Amino acid sequence: MRRLLMLGVLAIGLGFGAAGAQDRSSDIQSVISRQMDAFKTDDFVTAFSFASPAIKRMFGSADRFGEMVQSGYPMVWRPSSV
């Protein structure tokens, strides 16, 4: 579960501006949920679109990002619960 949270934080970045803490939390949860939905359908292009700029630079493409998630984070790719 810690890895899932860490991946989520890394994937979305922290650029939410001056919104209140509750708004930021809601925004973060929405992005993670949308990224998880994309993983469930193997839509790595959409999942990659939620990645932070650093993650995008690190993996370079949605395909490479998807391969990393499938092989390194199967609990994110096919979670039993979120």
Side-chain angles (χ1 to χ4, degrees):
M1 194 52 110
R2 286 183 186 174
R3 287 183 182 182
L4 173 63
L5 181 58
M6 180 59 108
L7 182 62
V9 169
L10 289 173
I12 62 173
L14 299 174
F16 287 102
Q22 184 129 2
D23 291 341
R24 284 193 307 265
S25 177
S26 179
D27 290 343
I28 290 168
Q29 289 175 4
S30 174
V31 169
I32 292 171
S33 177
R34 290 165 47 202
Q35 188 178 52
M36 295 301 294
D37 288 344
F39 284 134
K40 288 178 190 175
T41 61
D42 294 336
D43 183 356
F44 297 117
V45 171
T46 299
F48 189 60
S49 74
F50 294 111
S52 70
I55 294 295
K56 288 179 179 177
R57 282 190 304 273
M58 185 182 303
F59 293 98
S61 73
D63 289 335
R64 289 181 60 199
F65 177 70
E67 289 171 10
M68 178 277 299
V69 172
Q70 286 176 308
S71 65
Y73 296 92
M75 73 294 283
V76 172
W77 177 50
R78 292 292 185 261
S80 59
S81 67
V82 177

